[in-house]
């Protein structure tokens, strides 16, 4: 299940919906990303998330398919918010269900690494000293390369 | 308007601030040091002989803010409640941008502290990198904003010559492409920071204006219309054709949608 939305989400409700009525799931790993109040500059007051409608959904679908081809997964939920967010707001949710914990941990980690480097989202931060587009991080690229074939 | 550091006889004196009321004061100053792209790359990789350049410059800036009164003759010694130094590596302009935020509850402003912090952080960056680049240039050290105090708040007006400071909402710019509506076209989109820097959101390019029927040909046709599109040649700028990542050699046909955008930063 993949959603791109303006509205907040409830990680507990999404997780319950994913595993409801299932007895074959042995592990659920959930990651929630939140808006920080410091990043490239201190005192981030808000951020605006832009995306590329259409490509965003297909990029996220491809990432989830790739995860499903690498690990035996029983269910995946990815929600990413767009629009204006303030510190403390949930911004992204990845919930992965599997029979065993290792697969769920790894697939959740993988989906976040690929989402951060391949899904067309862009953050603009608003601070007391001005607005600016967030620059990409070399560490995100390094993290994503961990999953490539040796 | 008079100079507060001169008394009635025109002599320098330190202003007596005992009777001024306390208020929360904050000042933000900025500056930059321009260097060769190779030097900036070494700085990013941590390959400079003196070690961690930014961490050292940050401490130097903080120390400098605390010692401003020792350097600037008529400045008061202040018990700063906060000093923060931030660096932004601007690879396009090949420079490190430095900003300093100083704050206190007190009777006098903290702009000299913020300006001193930026100056010394820039000088330290020079010292840390000078073994590989002696031509570095420090520039544009200035007050960005100050709040609190009797003289009121100040915020620098954006210079016309600077790159546009991006705003909360975007305005879609348009360029005239002088085309007839019935021509087959490639639909071009510029997204996020690229859209704001170019001032262009969507435009159509007649398919038969492409000398090569691929993304490189489209870039050439755009550049021929307007020099601003030279920015699309930047290696950072990514491209998707019909919403799938592509590159210069990706073939195009009429009615394709081609999006150009900077590296993604979601999550």
């Amino acid at each position: 299940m993949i959603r791109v939305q303006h509205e907040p989400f409830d990680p507990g409700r999404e997780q319950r919906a994913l595993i409801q009525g299932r007895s074959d799931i042995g592990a659920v790993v959930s990651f929630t990303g939140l808006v920080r109040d410091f990043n490239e500059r201190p005192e981030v007051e808000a951020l605006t998330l832009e995306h590329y409608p259409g490509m965003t959904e297909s990029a996220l679908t491809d990432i989830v398919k790739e995860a499903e081809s690498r690990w035996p997964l029983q269910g995946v939920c990815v929600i990413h918010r767009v629009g204006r967010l303030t510190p403390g707001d949930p911004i992204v949710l990845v919930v992965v269900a599997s029979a065993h914990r290792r697969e769920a941990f790894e697939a959740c980690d993988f989906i976040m690494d690929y989402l951060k480097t391949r899904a067309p989202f862009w953050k603009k931060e608003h601070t007391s000293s001005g607005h600016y587009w967030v620059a990409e991080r070399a560490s995100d690229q390094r993290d994503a390369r961990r999953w490539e074939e040796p | 308007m008079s100079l507060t550091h001169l008394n009635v006889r025109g002599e320098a004196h330190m202003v007596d601030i005992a009777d001024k009321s306390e208020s929360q004061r904050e000042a933000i100053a900025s500056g930059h040091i321009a260097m060769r792209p190779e030097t900036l790359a070494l700085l990013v990789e941590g390959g400079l002989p003196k070690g961690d350049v930014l961490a050292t410059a940050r401490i130097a800036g903080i120390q400098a803010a605390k010692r401003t009164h020792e350097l600037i003759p008529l400045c008061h010694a202040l018990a700063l409640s906060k000093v923060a130094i931030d660096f932004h590596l601007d690879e396009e302009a090949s420079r490190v941008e430095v900003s300093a935020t100083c704050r206190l509850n007190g009777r006098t402003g903290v702009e000299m502290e913020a300006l001193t912090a930026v100056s010394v952080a820039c000088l330290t960056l020079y010292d840390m990198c000078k073994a590989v680049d002696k031509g570095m240039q420090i520039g544009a050290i200035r007050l960005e904003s100050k709040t609190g105090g009797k003289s009121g708040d100040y915020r620098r007006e954006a210079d016309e010559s600077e790159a546009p400071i991006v705003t909360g909402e975007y305005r879609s710019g348009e360029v005239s492409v002088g085309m007839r509506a019935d021509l087959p076209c490639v639909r071009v989109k510029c997204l996020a920071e690229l859209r704001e820097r170019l001032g262009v959101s969507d435009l159509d390019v007649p398919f038969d204006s492409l000398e090569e029927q691929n993304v490189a040909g489209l870039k050439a046709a755009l550049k021929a219309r307007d020099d601003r599109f030279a920015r699309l040649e930047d290696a950072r700028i990514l491209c998707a054709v019909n919403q799938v990542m592509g590159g210069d050699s990706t073939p195009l046909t009429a009615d394709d949608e081609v999006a150009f955008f900077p590296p993604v930063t979601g999550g």
Side-chain angles (χ1 to χ4, degrees):
Chain A
M1 201 271 303
I2 287 162
R3 292 208 311 262
V4 178
Q5 63 185 43
H6 281 83
E7 304 73 35
F9 53 77
D10 175 353
R13 182 194 301 179
E14 301 301 338
Q15 175 167 323
R16 281 193 298 279
L18 191 71
I19 61 176
Q20 190 161 33
R22 303 279 295 264
S23 52
D24 55 337
I25 293 171
V28 184
V29 169
S30 157
F31 171 83
T32 306
L34 307 174
V35 180
R36 268 195 314 267
D37 68 357
F38 65 94
N39 194 30
E40 289 180 14
R41 298 191 197 172
E43 292 165 33
V44 174
E45 292 165 352
L47 64 80
T48 307
L49 257 152
E50 175 172 329
H51 75 128
Y52 181 12
M55 183 173 170
T56 314
E57 291 80 357
S58 60
L60 292 175
T61 304
D62 288 348
I63 292 167
V64 169
K65 276 190 192 152
E66 178 67 26
E68 286 170 338
S69 75
R70 291 180 183 223
W71 294 276
L73 305 179
Q74 322 276 54
V76 178
C77 163
V78 177
I79 301 176
H80 203 297
R81 291 177 68 193
V82 293
R84 190 178 172 89
L85 303 174
T86 51
D89 282 350
I91 176 167
V92 60
L93 175 71
V94 177
V95 188
V96 177
S98 185
H100 304 286
R101 73 179 186 287
R102 184 70 57 214
E103 289 77 5
F105 273 124
E106 288 186 1
C108 187
D109 200 13
F110 167 87
I111 290 171
M112 273 310 298
D113 283 346
Y114 269 38
L115 183 153
K116 285 189 88 80
T117 50
R118 298 185 179 203
F121 293 101
W122 299 274
K123 285 187 191 121
K124 184 200 272 184
E125 289 181 345
H126 309 282
T127 72
S128 50
S129 59
H131 316 288
Y132 54 89
W133 289 93
V134 174
E136 70 277 19
R137 286 171 190 262
S139 61
D140 288 337
Q141 292 291 341
R142 273 200 303 277
D143 287 346
R145 277 199 297 273
R146 292 182 300 147
W147 305 102
E148 282 166 21
E149 306 299 328
Chain B
M1 189 76 66
S2 63
L3 297 172
T4 56
H5 286 315
L6 297 182
N7 65 14
V8 289
R9 289 190 297 277
E11 299 157 344
H13 83 136
M14 198 161 172
V15 177
D16 186 348
I17 56 170
D19 296 333
K20 289 171 108 178
S21 57
E22 285 211 357
S23 65
Q24 177 155 63
R25 317 278 191 134
E26 183 182 272
I28 298 172
S30 69
H32 64 245
I33 176 165
M35 55 188 68
R36 295 203 312 261
E38 306 89 274
T39 313
L40 187 62
L42 275 174
L43 192 156
V44 172
E45 293 161 15
L48 285 158
K50 288 193 177 181
D52 191 335
V53 173
L54 296 183
T56 310
R58 176 175 284 117
I59 297 298
I62 292 170
Q63 291 290 67
K66 293 195 288 188
R67 306 183 74 156
T68 302
H69 68 283
E70 295 175 18
L71 298 169
I72 310 295
L74 302 178
C75 259
H76 297 87
L78 301 180
L80 293 167
S81 64
K82 170 185 170 155
V83 183
I85 314 285
D86 284 288
F87 300 103
H88 175 70
L89 307 182
D90 185 342
E91 284 173 21
E92 197 167 316
S94 190
R95 66 192 192 188
V96 179
E97 291 169 2
V98 181
S99 78
T101 305
C102 292
R103 197 185 285 164
L104 93 162
N105 277 314
R107 298 189 170 93
T108 181
V110 285
E111 58 268 40
M112 289 314 302
E113 283 69 15
L115 287 162
T116 303
V118 168
S119 305
V120 173
C122 285
L123 287 169
T124 304
L125 289 171
Y126 189 98
D127 181 51
M128 296 291 285
C129 303
K130 68 180 189 292
V132 299
D133 188 353
K134 298 201 168 37
M136 290 177 289
Q137 198 171 332
I138 292 170
I141 294 175
R142 60 201 196 177
L143 182 66
E144 294 294 336
S145 66
K146 68 168 286 206
T147 55
K150 196 177 64 178
S151 67
D153 294 351
Y154 166 84
R155 190 172 288 273
R156 169 174 296 280
E157 308 272 322
D159 294 353
E160 295 278 329
S161 59
E162 282 177 52
I165 291 182
V166 294
T167 52
E169 301 294 328
Y170 88 86
R171 283 178 302 134
S172 67
E174 283 180 18
V175 292
S176 162
V177 291
M179 44 148 296
R180 291 203 308 273
D182 55 346
L183 280 176
C185 283
V186 175
R187 290 169 293 126
V188 177
K189 286 177 176 294
C190 297
L191 302 174
E193 183 175 16
L194 186 67
R195 176 192 61 238
E196 294 188 344
R197 292 218 180 253
L198 293 174
V200 177
S201 156
D202 292 87
L203 79 164
D204 290 346
V205 177
F207 187 66
D208 60 12
S209 73
L210 307 188
E211 284 187 21
E212 278 183 275
Q213 280 77 46
N214 59 23
V215 170
L218 174 63
K219 286 182 183 174
L222 285 165
K223 204 173 146 192
R225 288 187 187 286
D226 194 316
D227 281 343
R228 284 178 298 168
F229 289 108
R231 200 179 275 274
L232 299 178
E233 305 289 346
D234 185 339
R236 278 180 78 236
I237 297 301
L238 306 174
C239 155
V241 176
N242 297 326
Q243 309 201 334
V244 175
M245 294 302 292
D248 278 352
S249 58
T250 306
L252 297 179
T253 54
D255 220 31
D256 277 347
E257 177 178 294
V258 181
F260 294 104
F261 44 82
V264 302
T265 56

